[in-house]
C-alpha cells in the first residue's frame, strides 16, 4: 500500500497538523542522540549484555523502522540497502547475536538516520493525511514511529544501566516544586462503579488499548503514592527475601535460582545503610523515591508481607486516570461512549504517618473490616502493566547482573478490594503482568469479591482440527485463557477446561474435560491434533468463589444434542440464589445435575425452554430473564446443537467472525483477521453457518 502524494497543500489547519508531526519526530530523535552523545564509539558498539542489543543497533534499527513506514510504505520506494531488511529486523536475529552482524558504526548509523529523516520530511510535505486511510488518519503511522523511537530510548537507558564498568554522566536533576500531596502510606478510597477503559478514537493508541469498553469494579482502597524505597527496605530488613510463605511457589524457586536478596542494584554499606548503583555511580539510596528494579514476584511478596495484594490493571487504570474536573475517570479518547454510572469522587483519604512503613501482620490473612461494613484485603502494586502478555523474568545474565523482569521504575500504589474472609494462598501467576489475588476460596485468581470470568468459543464451519481452535491459532483458547486481552474480571483461567464436538451423523456430541489448566495439559495436544470437526464448543474455566474444582463444574455441559457454556457468574449462587433458581425448575430438570456450578443450573433453565419448543436464541433469552429476576449476574452464554448457534453478551467480551459457511464466536479474537467484530454488551446472537443476526437481549 502506498499513500497519496500530492504537491504541498496550503491551509493553516493542514500545516499545523504536519508541524506537530515534525516536532514530535524531531523531539524523539533529539532524545535518542542525546542519550548516545556521552558514549564512546566502542561503548556504542559493545554488547553490554546478551539481554540487550548493542546501542548502535538500536539507533540504526529506529532509522530503518522509520524508512520502512514513513518512506517506503508511503511512496513504494526501495530500501537504502537490502541488507538492512535483515540486519535491522528485530524478529530475525536474537539480541545476543546482533553484535556479530555487519552493523553500521556509530557515525554511519547517524548518517543513515539523518538521510532517512530528510526523506521523511520530504514525504510528509507531500502526503495527504487521508482520513479514509487508517495509517494516515490523524497521522497514526507517524505517531507509531515516534512512540517506537521513545520505546527504544527506554531500551537504551536500560542497557546503559545494566552495563558493567560503564560510568555514564549523571544528569542534572531539577529539584522542582516540593511535593505537597498525600504522604507515603496515605490511601484513597475509589468507590468503584463503571468506567470506560481503553479507547476508540485516541489517534496514536496501539491496538492493545482498543476497543473502549465499560468495566465495572467494586470499591477499593489504593495508595495515594508509590511504594517507596524506605517501605521496601523495611520488607528486606524484616527478612522478606528469606520467608517462603510470602512468595508464590514458582516465585520462591525463582528467588533461589537467581540469588535474589534485595532489589537489583542495591548494595548495603558496612554501617547497614543502603546504596544503589545508578548508571555506574554508587550513591545513597533515596529513601522516598519509588522502588525500582523489582520483578512481579518481589512486588507480590512485599504486598503479602504488608498484608495486601497487587491491584488489577483495571483498578490501577481507574484510579490513575481520575479527572477531578469531570468527577470521574478520564475517558482517554472514548468521549463518544456513554458513562452510565460514573463513580463518585475518590475524596476519602486514609492517612498514614509521614515516613511510616507498613506493619506486617502476624499471619497472612484478611484484616478486620475497615472503612465500611465489608472486609477488605489491602493491595499494593509496582507499576502499571501492559495488557499484552507480561514477561516475568529474563534468563540468567552471563554478565553477573541479577536477572529481573524489568529494569524500569516501579510506580505502584496500594489499595484494597472487598471480599469475604478466606484462606490465603498463592494464586497462579497473571499472564498480563498485572495483579493477582492473594486469597480465594477456590483456586484461581480474581480479586476477592470480583466476579469471575472464563473464556469460551463456538465454531460452526468446515471441519478443522481441534488444535486449530484450542492450541495453534495466534490467540487460541489456551493462550487467551492464560493471557487474556479482554478479560476484565480475573486474570487467567486455570481451573480446568472442556471441549465438545460433533462427529459425522452422530446427534449427540463427544466431550473431553479436565481440571488442569488448558495450557498445561499434554494429553490435549495428542487429542486435539487428531480430532477434526465442523462443530465445536470449548471453554476454559475460572471457578466462581465457593465452587469446587471438579470435572462436573467444567463446561461444556451436554444434554441430548446440546452443548452449553457460561462465561460469567450468578451473584449469590451459593448464598440462596442457586436454591431459588433450582426451585423454579420443573420436575424433569430439577434433579438432573452432575455438579454444583451455576453454569449447570442456567443450562437447565434454557433446556426447559428448548423442551417446550423454543429456538436456541429464545431459550437463552428466557434463561437470562429468569436469572435476573432472582439476582444480578454476568451471563455470556453459548449454546449449540452442532447446526444452530446462540450466544449472549452480558458482562464480558464477545466477538464474532462470519463468512460463507462459517460462524465463529469467541470471548476474544483467535487471530488478527479483520473480519472479527465485537458483539455489544446486552446482545443476543443467533444463527448458523449460513449467517448470524445480532439483536438486543
Amino acid at each position: 500500500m502506498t499513500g497519496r502524494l500530492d504537491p504541498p497543500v496550503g491551509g493553516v489547519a493542514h500545516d499545523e497538523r504536519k508541524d506537530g508531526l515534525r516536532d514530535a519526530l524531531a523531539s524523539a530523535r533529539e532524545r535518542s542522540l542525546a542519550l548516545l552523545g556521552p558514549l564512546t564509539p566502542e561503548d556504542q558498539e559493545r554488547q553490554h549484555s546478551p539481554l540487550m542489543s548493542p546501542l548502535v543497533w538500536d539507533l540504526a534499527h529506529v532509522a530503518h523502522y522509520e524508512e520502512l513506514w514513513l518512506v517506503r510504505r508511503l511512496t513504494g520506494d526501495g530500501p537504502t540497502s537490502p541488507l538492512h531488511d535483515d540486519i535491522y529486523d528485530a524478529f530475525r536475529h536474537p539480541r545476543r547475536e546482533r553484535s556479530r552482524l555487519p552493523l553500521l558504526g556509530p557515525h554511519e548509523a547517524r548518517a543513515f538516520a539523518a538521510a532517512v529523516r530528510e526523506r521523511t520530511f520530504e514525504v510528509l510535505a507531500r502526503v495527504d493525511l487521508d482520513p479514509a486511510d487508517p495509517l494516515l488518519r490523524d497521522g497514526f503511522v507517524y505517531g507509531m514511529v515516534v512512540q517506537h523511537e521513545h520505546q527504544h530510548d527506554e531500551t537504551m537507558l536500560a542497557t546503559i544501566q545494566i552495563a558493567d564498568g560503564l560510568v555514564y554522566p549523571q544528569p542534572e536533576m531539577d529539584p522542582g516544586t516540593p511535593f505537597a500531596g498525600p504522604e507515603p502510606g496515605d490511601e484513597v478510597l475509589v468507590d468503584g462503579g463503571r468506567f470506560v477503559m481503553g479507547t476508540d478514537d485516541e489517534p496514536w493508541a496501539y491496538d492493545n488499548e482498543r476497543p473502549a469498553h465499560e468495566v465495572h469494579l467494586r470499591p477499593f482502597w489504593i495508595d495515594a503514592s508509590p511504594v517507596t524505597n524506605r517501605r521496601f527496605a523495611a520488607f528486606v530488613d524484616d527478612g522478606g527475601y528469606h520467608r517462603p510463605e510470602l512468595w508464590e511457589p514458582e516465585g520462591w524457586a525463582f528467588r533461589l535460582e537467581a540469588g535474589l536478596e534485595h532489589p537489583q542494584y542495591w548494595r548495603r554499606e558496612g554501617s547497614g545503610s543502603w546504596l544503589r548503583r545508578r548508571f555506574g555511580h554508587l550513591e545513597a539510596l533515596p529513601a522516598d523515591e519509588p522502588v525500582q528494579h523489582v520483578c512481579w514476584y518481589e512486588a507480590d511478596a512485599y504486598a503479602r508481607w504488608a498484608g495486601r495484594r497487587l491491584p488489577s490493571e483495571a483498578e490501577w487504570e481507574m484510579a490513575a486516570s481520575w479527572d477531578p474536573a469531570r468527577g470521574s475517570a478520564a475517558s482517554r479518547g472514548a468521549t463518544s461512549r456513554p458513562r452510565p454510572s460514573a463513580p463518585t469522587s475518590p475524596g476519602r483519604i486514609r492517612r498514614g504517618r509521614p515516613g511510616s512503613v507498613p506493619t506486617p501482620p502476624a499471619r497472612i490473612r484478611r484484616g478486620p473490616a475497615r472503612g465500611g461494613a465489608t472486609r477488605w484485603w489491602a493491595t499494593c502494586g509496582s507499576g502499571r502493566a501492559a495488557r499484552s502478555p507480561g514477561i516475568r523474568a529474563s534468563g540468567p545474565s552471563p554478565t553477573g547482573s541479577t536477572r529481573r523482569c524489568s529494569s524500569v521504575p516501579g510506580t505502584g500504589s496500594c489499595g484494597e478490594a472487598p471480599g469475604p474472609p478466606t484462606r490465603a494462598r498463592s494464586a497462579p501467576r497473571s499472564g498480563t503482568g498485572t495483579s493477582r489475588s492473594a486469597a480465594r476460596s477456590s483456586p484461581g485468581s480474581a480479586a476477592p469479591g470480583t466476579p469471575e470470568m472464563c473464556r469460551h468459543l463456538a465454531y460452526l464451519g468446515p471441519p478443522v482440527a481441534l488444535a486449530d481452535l484450542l492450541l495453534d491459532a495466534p490467540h487460541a483458547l489456551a493462550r487467551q485463557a492464560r493471557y487474556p486481552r479482554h478479560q476484565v474480571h480475573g486474570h487467567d483461567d486455570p481451573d480446568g477446561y472442556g471441549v465438545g464436538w460433533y462427529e459425522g451423523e452422530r446427534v449427540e456430541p463427544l466431550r473431553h474435560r479436565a481440571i488442569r489448566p488448558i495450557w498445561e495439559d499434554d494429553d490435549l495436544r495428542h487429542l486435539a491434533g487428531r480430532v477434526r470437526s465442523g462443530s465445536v464448543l470449548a471453554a476454559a474455566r475460572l471457578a466462581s468463589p465457593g465452587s469446587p474444582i471438579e470435572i462436573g463444574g467444567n463446561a461444556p455441559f451436554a444434554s441430548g444434542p446440546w452443548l452449553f457454556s457460561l462465561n460469567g457468574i450468578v451473584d449469590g449462587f451459593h448464598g440462596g440464589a442457586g436454591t431459588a433458581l433450582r426451585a423454579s425448575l420443573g420436575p424433569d430438570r430439577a434433579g438432573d445435575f452432575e455438579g454444583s456450578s451455576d453454569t449447570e443450573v442456567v443450562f437447565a433453565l434454557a433446556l426447559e425452554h428448548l423442551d417446550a419448543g423454543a429456538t436456541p436464541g429464545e431459550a437463552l433469552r428466557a434463561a437470562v430473564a429468569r436469572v435476573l429476576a432472582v439476582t444480578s449476574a454476568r451471563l455470556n452464554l453459548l449454546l449449540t446443537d452442532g447446526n444452530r448457534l446462540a450466544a449472549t453478551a452480558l458482562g464480558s467480551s464477545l466477538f464474532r467472525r462470519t463468512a460463507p459457511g462459517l460462524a465463529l464466536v469467541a470471548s476474544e479474537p483467535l487471530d488478527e483477521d479483520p473480519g472479527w467484530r465485537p458483539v455489544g454488551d446486552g446482545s443476543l446472537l443467533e444463527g448458523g453457518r449460513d449467517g448470524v443476526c445480532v439483536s438486543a437481549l
Side-chain angles (χ1 to χ4, degrees):
M1 185 208 84
T2 60
R4 198 167 68 218
L5 294 179
D6 298 324
V9 178
V12 174
H14 196 87
D15 285 343
E16 286 182 351
R17 184 166 53 172
K18 291 187 176 183
D19 286 344
L21 298 177
R22 290 187 193 93
D23 290 345
L25 288 163
S27 176
R29 182 58 45 81
E30 181 181 3
R31 185 184 182 210
S32 301
L33 296 178
L35 286 173
L36 296 175
L39 300 173
T40 66
E42 293 76 19
D43 285 332
Q44 295 178 53
E45 294 174 321
R46 183 176 300 127
Q47 182 105 37
H48 294 283
S49 165
L51 303 178
M52 313 301 285
S53 306
L55 291 163
V56 73
W57 183 93
D58 284 289
L59 178 60
H61 164 74
V62 162
H64 174 259
Y65 188 86
E66 178 178 330
E67 181 185 56
L68 181 66
W69 286 102
L70 302 187
V71 178
R72 294 163 58 184
R73 187 67 181 264
L74 297 181
T75 67
D77 291 350
T80 298
S81 168
L83 291 177
H84 292 173
D85 283 349
D86 176 72
I87 296 171
Y88 297 111
D89 186 331
F91 295 99
R92 296 195 183 187
H93 301 282
R95 289 178 174 179
R96 63 181 179 273
E97 299 176 359
R98 291 173 185 168
S99 63
R100 300 196 291 270
L101 300 173
L103 304 179
L104 296 175
H107 177 75
E108 292 79 10
R110 282 170 172 75
F112 172 50
V116 170
R117 179 54 53 85
E118 184 176 352
R119 294 168 66 196
T120 293
F121 284 165
E122 290 174 355
V123 173
L124 177 59
R126 295 184 292 131
V127 76
D128 177 16
L129 299 180
D130 185 358
D133 186 331
L135 271 182
L136 292 170
R137 184 188 309 128
D138 296 314
F140 171 81
V141 70
Y142 290 90
M144 181 179 74
V145 169
V146 168
Q147 292 186 87
H148 175 259
E149 183 156 357
H150 282 307
Q151 289 166 351
H152 274 273
D153 289 344
E154 294 176 9
T155 300
M156 289 192 286
L157 277 170
T159 302
I160 294 168
Q161 173 67 17
I162 287 173
D164 286 333
L166 178 63
V167 179
Y168 192 80
Q170 288 275 41
E172 294 184 6
M173 304 297 291
D174 180 3
T177 304
F179 179 63
E183 294 285 346
D186 285 356
E187 297 169 286
V188 173
L189 175 64
V190 180
D191 288 337
R194 296 183 181 180
F195 82 107
V196 177
M197 187 170 175
T199 182
D200 284 331
D201 50 19
E202 180 67 33
W204 290 6
Y206 284 169
D207 58 348
N208 62 353
E209 294 286 346
R210 302 174 186 272
H213 55 285
E214 287 183 0
V215 178
H216 184 276
L217 292 176
R218 302 279 181 96
F220 60 94
W221 287 92
I222 190 163
D223 265 6
S225 58
V227 176
T228 62
N229 288 326
R230 183 193 310 277
R231 302 178 79 190
F232 202 89
F235 161 69
V236 177
D237 294 340
D238 195 45
Y241 279 79
H242 298 275
R243 294 171 57 182
E245 73 273 14
L246 299 175
W247 297 69
E248 285 196 1
E250 63 183 61
W252 181 250
F254 168 70
R255 190 207 74 76
L256 295 175
E257 179 186 358
L260 304 185
E261 298 285 342
H262 48 70
Q264 193 172 17
Y265 309 117
W266 284 24
R267 181 185 304 177
R268 193 186 289 278
E269 263 191 338
S271 64
S273 59
W274 287 101
L275 303 174
R276 75 166 179 193
R277 182 170 68 83
R278 183 172 183 267
F279 299 128
H281 299 268
L282 202 61
E283 61 186 19
L285 180 71
D288 295 320
E289 275 191 11
V291 66
Q292 303 174 40
H293 308 300
V294 295
C295 73
W296 188 93
Y297 293 130
E298 293 164 285
D300 181 62
Y302 168 86
R304 293 168 187 269
W305 171 81
R308 304 183 174 197
R309 68 165 174 84
L310 299 174
S312 70
E313 180 181 5
E315 287 171 335
W316 167 247
E317 185 154 340
M318 185 180 200
S321 62
W322 186 264
D323 182 354
R326 291 174 56 92
S328 65
S331 59
R332 297 194 322 141
T335 53
S336 61
R337 294 176 61 82
R339 313 177 67 83
S341 181
T344 58
S345 170
R348 292 175 53 187
I349 295 181
R350 186 160 55 200
R351 294 291 183 186
R353 299 188 307 277
S356 66
V357 298
T359 302
R363 294 190 303 161
I364 306 302
R365 59 182 176 84
R366 288 260 167 89
R370 295 177 290 176
T374 57
R375 293 181 181 268
W376 299 91
W377 182 258
T379 71
C380 59
S382 60
R384 176 179 175 180
R387 272 177 253 172
S388 55
I391 298 175
R392 290 306 182 92
S394 58
S397 170
T399 65
S401 60
T402 308
R403 70 178 187 175
R404 301 279 167 168
C405 306
S406 172
S407 59
V408 298
T411 57
S413 312
C414 298
E416 302 165 349
T422 59
R423 177 177 61 87
R425 63 180 298 277
S426 295
R429 70 179 181 180
S430 162
T432 62
T434 56
S435 67
R436 299 300 309 268
S437 165
R440 282 192 59 214
S441 56
S442 57
S445 63
T450 300
E452 290 6 79
M453 289 295 170
C454 312
R455 302 285 86 177
H456 61 189
L457 64 83
Y459 172 88
L460 298 179
V464 296
L466 297 186
D468 292 345
L469 302 171
L470 306 185
L471 302 172
D472 295 338
H475 198 51
L477 184 66
R479 183 163 184 83
Q480 61 182 257
R482 191 175 190 183
Y483 302 124
R485 296 172 178 171
H486 297 279
Q487 184 165 318
V488 296
H489 303 292
H491 300 283
D492 60 8
D493 305 282
D495 299 332
Y497 70 93
V499 55
W501 67 96
Y502 298 79
E503 286 190 351
E505 300 300 317
R506 181 187 176 101
V507 174
E508 295 185 349
L510 302 171
R511 282 189 300 168
H512 170 77
R513 295 185 292 173
I515 58 174
R516 64 179 64 91
I518 186 173
W519 57 86
E520 293 182 359
D521 192 349
D522 292 336
D523 292 338
L524 177 62
R525 168 62 65 182
H526 179 81
L527 170 73
R530 289 161 175 77
V531 173
R532 297 179 64 83
S533 176
S535 306
V536 181
L537 193 152
R541 186 187 185 204
L542 175 59
S544 300
S547 297
I549 307 305
E550 57 184 6
I551 288 288
N554 283 10
F557 290 91
S559 179
W562 300 104
L563 287 172
F564 178 85
S565 173
L566 160 64
N567 166 2
I569 187 171
V570 176
D571 292 334
F573 182 80
H574 295 288
T579 301
L581 290 171
R582 287 191 183 96
S584 72
L585 292 166
D588 292 339
R589 293 293 179 185
D592 192 16
F593 301 107
E594 69 174 301
S596 58
S597 73
D598 50 3
T599 303
E600 199 169 13
V601 173
V602 177
F603 185 26
L605 297 174
L607 285 170
E608 280 199 335
H609 295 276
L610 292 169
D611 294 342
T615 67
E618 291 169 346
L620 292 191
R621 191 192 303 273
V624 168
R626 289 173 68 176
V627 172
L628 296 182
V630 173
T631 183
S632 58
R634 287 172 170 77
L635 300 171
N636 274 38
L637 311 179
L638 287 180
L639 177 68
T640 184
D641 62 357
N643 294 302
R644 295 173 292 172
L645 168 67
T648 63
L650 189 64
S652 188
S653 63
L654 190 68
F655 292 81
R656 61 182 173 92
R657 182 163 74 86
T658 58
L662 169 70
L664 178 55
V665 180
S667 298
E668 303 184 13
L670 274 63
D671 53 33
E672 302 301 325
D673 190 296
W676 286 100
R677 296 289 184 270
V679 179
D681 199 46
S683 295
L684 170 69
L685 178 149
E686 49 188 338
R689 292 177 178 85
D690 294 332
V692 301
C693 63
V694 179
S695 59
L697 181 60

